[in-house]
Amino acid sequence: MRKKLLLGNWKMNKTPSEAKAFALAAGEMVDLAVEHGIDVGVAPTFVCLEAVKSNINPKCIVAAQNVNEHEKGAYTGEISIAMLKEIGIDWVILGHSERREYNGETSVACNAKIKALLANDMTPVYCCGESEKTFDEGKTKDFVRHQIEEGFAGLSQEEAAKVVVAYEPIWAIGTGKSASKEIAEDTVGYIRLVLEGLFGGAIAEQIRILYGGSVKPENVSAYMSMPDIDGALVGGASLEPDSFLGLIKGML
Ligand code: PEP
């Protein structure tokens, strides 16, 4: 039985003091989620990680939005795994479509990061998803299969089971135009089939796959009613405590 997961992606929002205010306001809602068997977390910017980690309910996952796969050295502007670990961060979002678009992050680069995170007992949340053009052309499954094959390349079964996947159609991110629950389930179910082909049915059944793209308190329960969707990666609606609580309530 896969545990439900709600993860808020704060993108480039909130200063450290704003992030701290959210963390202090979120204590009881994290307990509510955990009491109902839901894993819950937020992904602030690097400069807000410590403010959130040290002020939020310790049961809340705090994730970074990226990491560099190299141990240390001449990588100006980058953040290493050891730096995250030292401040207690052990989850990282990888391959978000905004990083793919604006920072040239590829699935192959994500694969190296996934391997480095797993080697350090950390949890990667690997994002995939197609553009509107790819969706309109009916090529979503081919596109996403490729992203999954490249992202998971060379992983053992044991490693693959520890990766969280987030299916986020780009046309639904921040647009208010969410995918219907049927469209989301169709692709998420297909991703599970691809994972089954790569790692076998028992492993594919363990891997959590989230849907992301304009998820709100009003529509989250529809996605959660689908058999292959294990939770949500949420941008805009994760930024304010009231709305975050609404998301948790919609997942109960
Ligand atoms: C996201 O940032 O991953 C996302 C899905 O954003 P939004 O919920 O705002 O569409």
Side-chain angles (χ1 to χ4, degrees):
M1 181 70 178
R2 298 181 299 270
K3 218 171 163 195
K4 293 182 195 175
L5 169 61
L6 170 66
L7 193 57
N9 172 20
W10 287 356
K11 312 191 188 198
M12 198 175 73
N13 291 294
K14 294 190 189 293
T15 63
S17 61
E18 290 166 349
K20 179 178 174 183
F22 181 107
L24 292 172
E28 284 182 19
M29 61 184 89
V30 172
D31 280 334
L32 178 70
V34 172
E35 276 160 21
H36 285 84
I38 302 170
D39 284 339
V40 66
V42 291
T45 59
F46 287 126
V47 292
C48 294
L49 285 171
E50 273 203 282
V52 174
K53 185 72 188 171
S54 55
N55 288 288
I56 206 159
N57 185 327
K59 293 174 203 149
C60 187
I61 294 162
V62 182
Q65 298 175 17
N66 183 31
V67 76
N68 188 287
E69 71 275 24
H70 296 102
E71 203 182 317
K72 60 164 108 169
Y75 302 99
T76 302
E78 294 292 298
I79 299 287
S80 75
I81 285 174
M83 293 169 193
L84 294 180
K85 284 199 97 167
E86 190 167 313
I87 58 165
I89 305 301
D90 50 14
W91 283 59
V92 180
I93 297 174
L94 295 174
H96 191 280
S97 63
E98 289 151 17
R99 290 205 56 82
R100 289 179 188 264
E101 183 177 352
Y102 306 129
N103 302 86
E105 186 135 308
T106 63
S107 301
V108 171
C110 289
N111 176 251
K113 296 179 184 198
I114 288 172
K115 286 175 175 159
L117 288 170
L118 292 170
N120 283 280
D121 293 322
M122 293 170 73
T123 303
V125 179
Y126 177 54
C127 302
C128 61
E130 81 289 357
S131 67
E132 186 147 38
K133 182 170 178 287
T134 301
F135 177 77
D136 288 343
E137 289 170 354
K139 295 180 180 158
T140 294
K141 289 182 178 167
D142 274 354
F143 186 84
V144 170
R145 177 172 43 77
H146 203 64
Q147 289 182 319
I148 295 293
E149 285 171 352
E150 288 193 331
F152 277 78
L155 298 194
S156 67
Q157 288 180 316
E158 196 191 328
E159 287 172 329
K162 294 178 184 157
V163 179
V164 174
V165 176
Y167 167 59
E168 300 204 306
I170 299 169
W171 46 271
I173 298 178
T175 59
K177 192 172 134 189
S178 52
S180 69
K181 64 182 196 298
E182 291 81 11
I183 288 175
E185 170 66 17
D186 188 39
T187 310
V188 169
Y190 177 72
I191 291 170
R192 205 174 295 291
L193 268 182
V194 171
L195 291 168
E196 184 179 335
L198 293 171
F199 302 104
I203 299 297
E205 277 304 309
Q206 288 176 52
I207 297 175
R208 290 192 281 186
I209 310 179
L210 314 180
Y211 165 73
S214 297
V215 175
K216 305 265 180 287
E218 307 81 62
N219 63 14
V220 68
S221 64
Y223 297 111
M224 296 314 298
S225 71
M226 305 312 275
D228 282 298
I229 299 177
D230 303 313
L233 179 57
V234 184
S238 74
L239 287 170
E240 297 305 326
D242 279 357
S243 175
F244 200 66
L245 175 60
L247 290 164
I248 291 170
K249 286 185 173 165
M251 288 180 68
L252 299 180

